[in-house]
Amino acid sequence: MYQFMHLALDSALPSGIAPGAAARLRRCASSSVSIPPPRCLLGPLEAPLRYMFGPGPSNVPPRILAAGGRPIIGHMHEEMFEIMDDIKQGIQYAFQTQNNMTIAASGSGHTAMECALFNCVEPGEPVLVAINGIWGERVAEIARRIGADVKTLVKTPGGYFTNEEIEQALAKHKPVLFFLTHGESSAGLVHPMDGIGDLCRKHNCLFLVDSVASLGGASLFMDKQNIDILYTGSQKALNGPPGTAPVSFNDRACKKMFSRKTKPGLENSWKLHKEVAEYLHEGLEGLGLKLFVQDKNLRLPCVTTIAIPVGYNWREITQYVMKHHRMEITGGLGPSVGMVLRVGLMGYNCSKTNADKVLVALGDALKHCHKSKV
């Protein structure tokens, strides 16, 4: 039987398995380990040659590929600090800036986009976003999610914004930040930059520019063109592997970041969810509803469970709320089906305004849904 297992394993192995892999699998089969090593990891990694002629990533030159094979050193080693300084100077050169706050963030260009918005925009502040493709749409969505008052300038894909149109919008909306995509890859457009930074200075707002698809392939001068925040990605014209997001903030942008009244971070998110949950809980109890988890310290802030009120059908309540208030409230899940109603106020939806909407909807449902006599 044991010999038969050896033969079965050998016949099942793909032809590219590394020498000794079959023996390791046989040892695993006869050991106490119940999950064997995956066959796909027993052979050498093979990455096929592709001509990367799409909008990115691009092919990485041999010199950069070779650099990835250099020895690993500690993140606190003296040589690592030197490398980081060298990278900073390289980004400053590529951006044509002398900004001290110039870094290489770990992540995609989208990471730098979020970094700029989260640090420089506070909830309620007006933000003006130029949309002529997907990246303006993405920035507008992120800004809305962090609570900004988003205003938009919109062109069809391939269209561009004149300086006159931009100045009119700046004067009208008075934003704290104006966003524009330099290289709109979804439409293949490079946007003129001259004079826009001057207009932003005139109207006292920050100028944020996305150059993920353009940096290194089209001329851009951060300091000369008065760009306050500029970011890019490593995987396009810079010819690096994906996963690095160069970003630079000038002194104006840093002043805005460091003088903000609210601080971005996990602690603020935790605090907000707790406050909104407690507000919702108080309102639910005011409606005569009982919370399913009685110990306040054990209640999940993101999802509130309400004991189904006596005499009501939970499905009728959820259906009524959906039909008359366009609001999703769900029943239980698994063992809690028939025991609870679940209300989720999380992330973008976590606000006292939304909690009030829930309370109005549930109050309305309790008045109009059928209640059986008990």
Side-chain angles (χ1 to χ4, degrees):
M1 180 66 181
Y2 184 64
Q3 198 171 27
F4 173 77
M5 288 177 62
H6 287 189
L7 292 172
L9 278 171
D10 287 339
S11 64
L13 288 174
S15 58
I17 287 293
R24 288 196 293 274
L25 277 176
R26 287 195 294 269
R27 286 196 298 271
C28 181
S30 61
S31 74
S32 60
V33 175
S34 60
I35 301 176
R39 290 180 172 84
C40 60
L41 299 184
L42 296 176
L45 174 66
E46 294 185 10
L49 174 64
R50 295 284 190 271
Y51 295 104
M52 307 295 287
F53 294 164
S58 60
N59 291 106
V60 179
R63 179 178 65 85
I64 297 178
L65 288 174
R70 301 291 295 174
I72 294 292
I73 60 176
H75 64 287
M76 297 298 289
H77 291 185
E78 180 180 348
E79 295 85 354
M80 179 57 74
F81 293 130
E82 293 176 1
I83 292 172
M84 293 172 67
D85 287 339
D86 292 344
I87 292 172
K88 177 178 179 177
Q89 292 178 34
I91 299 171
Q92 289 172 324
Y93 169 68
F95 283 7
Q96 286 295 285
T97 184
Q98 295 181 351
N99 293 339
N100 184 56
M101 183 64 78
T102 301
I103 60 175
S106 297
S108 64
H110 196 286
T111 300
M113 177 191 290
E114 292 192 14
C115 174
L117 290 168
F118 271 82
N119 281 284
C120 292
V121 177
E122 297 190 69
E125 289 185 325
V127 170
L128 179 62
V129 180
I131 301 176
N132 58 346
I134 189 172
W135 305 117
E137 292 179 348
R138 188 70 53 81
V139 165
E141 176 64 19
I142 294 172
R144 291 189 186 101
R145 286 174 178 266
I146 62 176
D149 179 16
V150 177
K151 311 296 182 182
T152 59
L153 274 175
V154 181
K155 296 279 187 177
T156 57
Y160 79 98
F161 305 90
T162 66
N163 285 17
E164 290 76 17
E165 290 173 322
I166 292 172
E167 180 162 28
Q168 288 176 6
L170 291 173
K172 178 181 179 181
H173 299 299
K174 297 178 174 56
V176 299
L177 180 143
F178 172 58
F179 169 85
L180 183 67
T181 308
H182 181 228
E184 180 49 77
S185 58
S186 67
L189 176 85
V190 61
H191 201 287
M193 285 287 117
D194 288 341
I196 301 176
D198 298 332
L199 294 176
C200 290
R201 297 283 174 97
K202 177 181 176 181
H203 291 274
N204 194 32
C205 81
L206 297 177
F207 186 25
L208 168 62
V209 174
D210 179 315
S211 67
V212 173
S214 59
L215 193 88
S219 60
L220 193 62
F221 305 91
M222 185 174 187
D223 288 356
K224 289 182 181 179
Q225 293 173 322
N226 282 332
I227 299 171
D228 297 296
I229 312 167
L230 179 64
Y231 66 84
T232 191
S234 57
Q235 75 277 17
K236 302 208 175 194
L238 292 182
N239 273 161
T244 302
V247 59
S248 182
F249 300 81
N250 68 9
D251 289 341
R252 292 180 76 237
C254 289
K255 182 179 179 181
K256 177 71 169 65
M257 280 194 291
F258 299 141
S259 62
R260 58 182 296 152
K261 298 176 182 178
T262 59
K263 301 298 182 183
L266 282 174
E267 291 84 358
N268 286 331
S269 180
W270 295 338
K271 181 181 178 182
L272 175 64
H273 282 79
K274 185 175 185 294
E275 289 177 351
V276 171
E278 290 175 348
Y279 178 83
L280 176 63
H281 298 166
E282 184 177 347
L284 291 170
E285 290 172 341
L287 291 175
L289 295 170
K290 294 182 179 180
L291 295 169
F292 184 69
V293 179
Q294 296 183 12
D295 189 334
K296 294 182 179 181
N297 296 319
L298 299 179
R299 294 172 182 166
L300 178 63
C302 317
V303 179
T304 295
T305 48
I306 307 164
I308 297 173
V310 176
Y312 286 92
N313 183 304
W314 68 269
R315 284 192 179 89
E316 187 181 357
I317 292 176
T318 58
Q319 290 168 0
Y320 183 92
V321 168
M322 177 64 77
K323 180 179 180 180
H324 295 278
H325 295 270
R326 297 182 301 170
M327 182 182 300
E328 180 187 53
I329 292 176
T330 65
L333 183 66
S336 67
V337 171
M339 301 173 67
V340 299
L341 295 169
R342 293 186 294 158
V343 176
L345 293 180
M346 59 191 82
Y348 178 63
N349 287 341
C350 183
S351 70
K352 291 184 178 180
T353 299
N354 286 337
D356 286 333
K357 292 178 182 178
V358 172
L359 295 172
V360 169
L362 284 175
D364 188 30
L366 293 175
K367 291 178 183 178
H368 293 91
C369 290
H370 175 72
K371 181 180 181 181
S372 62
K373 295 181 179 180
V374 179

